[in-house]
Amino acid sequence: MKHLATLTVAALCLAVPALAADPVEGLWKTRPDDNGNFGHVRIYDCSGALCGTIEKAFDAAGTEVASPNIGKRMIWDMKATGNGAYSGGKIWAPDRDKTYNSKMSLSGSTLSVAGCVAGGLICRDQAWTRVE
């Protein structure tokens, strides 16, 4: 019985980190820009908030290309607000080199990402799809 209790506690300890991961964490494919180029953004926990870094860039044909944006932070300070919604963060738009207030919402394998100005009255949004 003592052995079973020890195994149960050990299993719970191993499961806690997996349960603690936010469902939005992972690799996401951005929507193509005006030139058809797109990227892969890795979303991860950064000190209790969510951040996203550009991992790969692709041309309109889907061929991986070199980009000066690889490794750059695109999302930061994003916090979960419940029911698949996230807000309070910032997003950098590489195609315009601008930073916006941001919000996101997760539904299955689609992440709706919006960058807003003017107190959220004007937003630019796009749907990203999960890669992994």
Side-chain angles (χ1 to χ4, degrees):
M1 190 59 128
K2 199 179 216 182
H3 183 64
L4 180 59
T6 302
L7 285 175
T8 301
V9 169
L12 288 173
C13 288
L14 291 174
V16 168
L19 295 174
D22 192 285
V24 78
E25 290 182 40
L27 191 63
W28 295 89
K29 177 185 173 187
T30 66
R31 185 180 76 193
D33 65 14
D34 293 340
N35 298 316
N37 302 323
F38 63 94
H40 284 176
V41 176
R42 169 87 48 200
I43 297 180
Y44 55 93
D45 177 82
C46 57
S47 302
L50 292 166
C51 294
T53 302
I54 301 170
E55 279 196 1
K56 293 181 179 182
F58 300 87
D59 65 16
T63 303
E64 188 172 351
V65 295
S67 169
N69 297 325
I70 302 296
K72 288 189 178 180
R73 185 176 65 172
M74 188 171 182
I75 298 169
W76 61 96
D77 293 337
M78 193 68 68
K79 296 203 172 52
T81 57
N83 296 321
Y86 302 83
S87 65
K90 300 284 186 186
I91 188 165
W92 171 64
D95 60 340
R96 297 192 180 168
D97 194 24
K98 301 248 185 240
T99 300
Y100 302 93
N101 294 323
S102 184
K103 57 186 177 182
M104 306 185 307
S105 64
L106 178 64
S107 179
S109 61
T110 301
L111 182 63
S112 296
V113 182
C116 305
V117 295
L121 296 175
I122 302 169
C123 295
R124 179 179 173 209
D125 65 336
Q126 52 180 248
W128 295 0
T129 54
R130 187 180 293 278
V131 176
E132 63 178 44

